[in-house]
Amino acid sequence: MSQVGPIIEVELDRDRYRGQRPPVSVVILTFNEEANIADCIKSCAWCDDIQVLDSGSSDQTVPIALALGATVHTNKFKSFGDQRNWAIDHIPCKHPWHFHLDADERFTPEVVAEMATILGPGGATTPHVCFLSPSKMIFLGRWIKRSAGYPNYQVRLFKFGVCRFMDFGHGQREVPQGSVGTMVEPYRHYGFSKGLADWLYKHNHYSGREAEEGLLIRAEHRMSWGAMLTADATRRRRAAKNFAYFLRFRAVWRFLYNFILRLGFLDGLAGFHYCAMISMYEYWIELKIREAQQRWTAETDALVVRMLSTPKPAVMMPPAQQPTGTAPQEARS
Amino acid sequence: MSVPSTNGQAAPALPAVPSPMELFQRGHGIDVLIPTLNEKLHIEEAVLNARTVGNVFVLDSLSTDGTQEIARKAGAHVVEHKFVDYAKQKNWGLENLPFTGEWVFILDADERFTPGLREELFRVAASGAGHNGYYVNRVVLYMGHAVRHGGLYPSWNLRFFRRGKARYEDRAVHEHMLCEGSADYLKDEMLHIRREPLHEWVRKHVRYADLESTEWLKMRMLGQQGAAPERLFRDVLKYRWYLRREVWPRMPFRPLLRFAYMYAARMGILDGRAGLRLAALNACYEYMIGLMYREKRQRLIESRARGLPSNTP
């Protein structure tokens, strides 16, 4: 990770995109992304306004971003929703439309061309205030087509001033003031680009956040059968996610759903490992929910007391060694 | 390096032949050594529990969570020493702490003496039986359950020995104790309390998996050979070591096998939800090792393929 390639020799080929440049500023949220940031910014070569919002990286992220011509801002990270809203409020973007790209995500020429077409010159062609973008998850060099939830729509492209974000789970959801459009061309998501250890550490953290969300949802009995049957893919996915918080053996169901029902087995070995890792993540979420509901530690403490209970302290310390203050006693009961 | 005495009192000299009365006054002549690092959740209880057996010495590896202060307040002698590895740390403690008793017990902060074990230790210490070291069994307490199956029980460790007669072998992890003279097994057991939240478990085991997968890579890709099998089969311990280091990494479906071994073959199912949880978490751990090994191997292959052309001008 410490070794970063020669960063200066990268020249962004902006001229190539001159004809079809959409009126979009790109905002990239980063934290210690030196492994990703160069490739990410290179995929934004078409854009003349690249804004990086860093939350205090201790690695080479900021120097690399600056060397590649991005503007870098810094804000302490609280949550994804908060950070995205900070970017909307405080970063003076050149264009009326913003695209929030993560450091492990990449544009493709097709996405850029589509944005140019749907937004039109000046971004005035479309009636929508934001767009849902599909993304292709790449794992072990392969597009995980079936099990990674493709198209996995997220609002990334939105008009300045009429769309904000709120926190949800470990991520965020959009709050648009107007209609929402849908893009066709997927950007690329290299969700494992920083290594498995990093993915696992991150998902250890995420599973805690998801468990908190799950506890809230279970407490409020927020579950809608109707929403699970609508034609709207995003609403259906979110309703299904809420439903999943009520299930036992989430990990098993999620694996069967991803691997069998969604034909994950067609994605080969990479698909299998993807399904298994997501299942492990689900398992952690379920365990953390149960951990919060059921007081294992209190039960263990009670057992310890039971197994250690004895009528009297067996021996006094010799006077020379007797510390002042407390007297010897049995383990706290 | 001189040994700081935290209570500001010089340790009394050990008489050549202690009388039974003196043994009693010195707490049956047993000293308890507790090595710690950031154990603020456990240390008070551990020290109070250990003080019922004898003098307590906490050997702290420069904790940052106030373990030292809590231990001192609970009545332990606290000595700080920079950590290198587990074996070196404990050996340093055995050589340098101002022990006064004839016997030493090494206790971890999350372990406890049961009343039965305490009586047995006193009996052994007072009788002056012929053995220099004693193996102690321990039982894991997890999710409110004493885990006695799944291959986790019994778990024998040489922890109780005559001062100066035993030390740890020099090894970074999974160190064993080497004892002069004969050793015996104690009947009663100690408790090993596991109450870490899952978050903590995952964090630790991602790190272990990272280290373990690096070991596998060294062994299988970088040509570091284990000892030849035909020499190893003489010795049961080494045979098991051979299986674990050489055969196991080459098996397919390791997570499933690990789960089946713990839960079915070693009857983890009899431990209820705790047995299920431990088997499943161990399968997770096994899976993480395997995935990280694949990833590291892939990277090594890629860098080898790229390595030569990119290095030549």
Side-chain angles (χ1 to χ4, degrees):
Chain A
M1 287 287 167
S2 59
Q3 199 64 36
V4 180
I7 53 180
I8 307 302
E9 68 181 47
V10 178
E11 281 288 322
L12 299 189
D13 186 10
R14 295 219 161 86
D15 289 340
R16 227 181 92 201
Y17 292 96
R18 187 153 283 164
Q20 53 170 3
R21 182 184 289 164
V24 174
S25 297
V26 176
V27 176
I28 306 169
L29 305 190
T30 57
F31 179 68
N32 290 343
E33 291 283 358
E34 66 180 12
N36 282 321
I37 190 69
D39 284 341
C40 178
I41 292 179
K42 276 186 251 171
S43 84
C44 306
W46 53 273
C47 180
D48 59 354
D49 185 32
I50 303 171
Q51 308 278 353
V52 170
L53 176 51
D54 187 74
S55 29
S57 295
S58 54
D59 65 357
Q60 295 296 306
T61 304
V62 172
I64 296 171
L66 288 171
L68 288 170
T71 314
V72 178
H73 310 262
T74 307
N75 182 43
K76 199 167 175 295
F77 187 88
K78 287 194 209 79
S79 64
F80 280 105
D82 183 77
Q83 194 76 342
R84 294 196 194 284
N85 287 335
W86 194 93
I88 294 169
D89 295 337
H90 293 88
I91 296 180
C93 289
K94 192 170 158 186
H95 298 293
W97 286 82
H98 299 181
F99 196 105
H100 278 204
L101 190 72
D102 287 349
D104 59 357
E105 296 169 348
R106 311 278 179 267
F107 281 113
T108 64
E110 293 78 18
V111 175
V112 179
E114 191 191 1
M115 287 197 295
T117 314
I118 56 178
L119 299 181
T125 308
T126 175
H128 302 301
V129 299
C130 63
F131 286 89
L132 291 162
S133 300
S135 62
K136 281 187 178 179
M137 165 71 91
I138 313 290
F139 178 49
L140 297 176
R142 223 186 130 126
W143 171 29
I144 308 297
K145 186 177 172 186
R146 284 93 180 174
S147 44
Y150 185 80
N152 203 350
Y153 286 118
Q154 305 255 1
V155 166
R156 291 309 179 81
L157 178 64
F158 60 92
K159 201 173 183 175
F160 175 71
V162 282
C163 182
R164 295 182 71 78
F165 294 94
M166 57 176 270
D167 293 319
F168 189 91
H170 73 262
Q172 75 285 322
R173 282 182 184 177
E174 68 287 352
V175 190
Q177 299 167 16
S179 65
V180 182
T182 303
M183 289 181 63
V184 177
E185 287 296 337
Y187 60 87
R188 301 288 186 270
H189 180 199
Y190 292 85
F192 298 83
S193 53
K194 283 163 92 180
L196 282 168
D198 183 81
W199 189 92
L200 291 164
Y201 281 129
K202 245 192 222 162
H203 279 72
N204 188 20
H205 189 67
Y206 293 163
S207 61
R209 304 288 298 279
E210 292 285 334
E212 285 169 23
E213 198 67 47
L215 283 164
L216 261 172
I217 285 173
R218 284 163 75 131
E220 294 170 9
H221 300 289
R222 220 191 294 156
M223 195 171 113
S224 159
W225 293 102
M228 284 178 66
L229 302 171
T230 59
D232 178 352
T234 307
R235 253 189 90 201
R236 203 169 56 224
R237 180 160 57 86
R238 288 173 181 180
K241 198 172 167 184
N242 283 1
F243 172 71
Y245 285 120
F246 290 85
L247 284 176
R248 274 183 75 86
F249 305 112
R250 279 168 69 99
V252 177
W253 296 124
R254 181 76 185 259
F255 186 83
L256 293 177
Y257 174 68
N258 277 345
F259 198 64
I260 311 281
L261 207 68
R262 289 168 81 173
L263 310 179
F265 59 89
L266 294 178
D267 291 332
L269 198 59
F272 170 79
H273 282 305
Y274 182 83
C275 293
M277 285 174 71
I278 293 294
S279 280
M280 188 161 72
Y281 167 60
E282 291 287 345
Y283 182 56
W284 295 349
I285 295 174
E286 186 174 351
L287 290 192
K288 284 179 179 182
I289 288 178
R290 295 229 296 268
E291 206 171 61
Q293 286 176 330
Q294 296 159 335
R295 298 259 149 231
W296 310 124
T297 47
E299 281 178 42
T300 305
D301 289 347
L303 180 67
V304 171
V305 169
R306 213 156 58 236
M307 292 182 81
L308 291 184
S309 61
T310 182
K312 58 174 172 34
V315 75
M316 299 290 286
M317 298 187 86
Q321 301 284 326
Q322 186 78 54
T324 50
T326 52
Q329 50 182 265
E330 187 45 70
R332 201 183 340 145
S333 49
Chain B
M1 182 183 169
S2 69
V3 178
S5 172
T6 51
N7 287 2
Q9 296 156 341
L14 184 68
V17 186
S19 70
M21 188 60 207
E22 280 168 328
L23 272 177
F24 178 77
Q25 281 177 343
R26 280 206 308 273
H28 293 248
I30 299 173
D31 290 316
V32 182
L33 169 59
I34 309 182
T36 56
L37 173 63
N38 294 335
E39 291 281 2
K40 71 173 177 193
L41 290 179
H42 274 293
I43 191 65
E44 186 185 10
E45 228 178 282
V47 171
L48 292 177
N49 175 260
R51 276 179 62 191
T52 61
V53 168
N55 293 333
V56 180
F57 295 83
V58 168
L59 176 57
D60 187 78
S61 318
L62 312 183
S63 294
T64 52
D65 67 346
T67 296
Q68 301 94 322
E69 206 38 53
I70 301 170
R72 227 168 258 143
K73 276 200 185 120
H77 301 254
V78 181
V79 175
E80 293 184 61
H81 185 245
K82 195 166 175 298
F83 181 89
V84 180
D85 63 44
Y86 293 103
K88 288 207 178 75
Q89 180 78 347
K90 284 184 269 197
N91 283 337
W92 184 90
L94 291 177
E95 283 155 21
N96 294 294
L97 290 176
F99 294 124
T100 56
E102 201 192 337
W103 295 86
V104 178
F105 195 105
I106 296 186
L107 186 80
D108 282 343
D110 51 5
E111 292 170 345
R112 304 285 181 270
F113 294 105
T114 55
L117 178 62
R118 184 181 308 133
E119 295 303 322
E120 197 176 0
L121 292 177
F122 291 158
R123 261 202 320 279
V124 169
S127 74
H131 302 288
N132 280 339
Y134 288 88
Y135 286 91
V136 186
N137 193 4
R138 83 184 182 169
V139 59
V140 170
L141 305 188
Y142 188 60
M143 289 169 73
H145 190 88
V147 178
R148 297 200 189 272
H149 305 90
L152 297 170
Y153 184 90
S155 161
W156 293 102
N157 292 285
L158 202 152
R159 296 295 193 84
F160 187 55
F161 48 89
R162 265 181 226 277
R163 182 146 64 94
K165 297 292 183 193
R167 68 194 313 282
Y168 283 92
E169 62 175 326
D170 279 330
R171 245 183 112 158
V173 284
H174 301 306
E175 69 283 1
H176 290 279
M177 197 145 224
L178 306 171
C179 178
E180 274 176 43
S182 60
D184 200 1
Y185 291 79
L186 294 179
K187 280 194 214 62
D188 231 299
E189 62 198 16
M190 57 182 176
L191 311 182
H192 179 203
I193 304 168
R194 287 190 50 185
R195 53 182 162 203
E196 82 277 3
L198 182 75
H199 192 84
E200 205 59 27
W201 184 92
V202 173
R203 207 166 52 81
K204 259 194 217 162
H205 282 78
V206 173
R207 207 181 71 232
Y208 295 158
D210 209 0
L211 296 172
E212 186 72 26
S213 57
T214 307
E215 291 297 316
W216 288 17
L217 195 76
K218 276 185 196 161
M219 198 179 63
R220 292 181 60 178
M221 298 290 289
L222 305 177
Q224 278 190 10
Q225 288 289 326
E230 64 271 21
R231 284 165 149 201
L232 292 168
F233 283 91
R234 288 183 204 151
D235 182 328
V236 176
L237 265 179
K238 285 185 177 169
Y239 167 68
R240 285 182 62 176
W241 184 89
Y242 172 76
L243 282 183
R244 198 177 321 158
R245 288 295 164 94
E246 297 283 329
V247 179
W248 178 245
R250 290 176 166 81
M251 301 273 279
F253 308 112
R254 281 182 310 270
L256 269 182
L257 286 179
R258 179 105 173 221
F259 182 86
Y261 174 77
M262 285 185 73
Y263 198 60
R266 301 299 302 267
M267 300 301 276
I269 190 170
L270 296 178
D271 287 318
R273 61 193 185 188
L276 178 64
R277 170 81 64 92
L278 286 169
L281 286 181
N282 270 289
C284 280
Y285 174 53
E286 201 62 54
Y287 186 55
M288 293 195 283
I289 298 174
L291 278 174
M292 285 190 193
Y293 169 69
R294 287 177 69 92
E295 184 193 36
K296 288 188 172 123
R297 190 186 56 187
Q298 189 60 34
R299 252 190 225 155
L300 188 71
I301 291 169
E302 276 169 19
S303 73
R304 272 179 184 169
R306 250 197 337 236
L308 281 174
S310 72
N311 283 345
T312 47

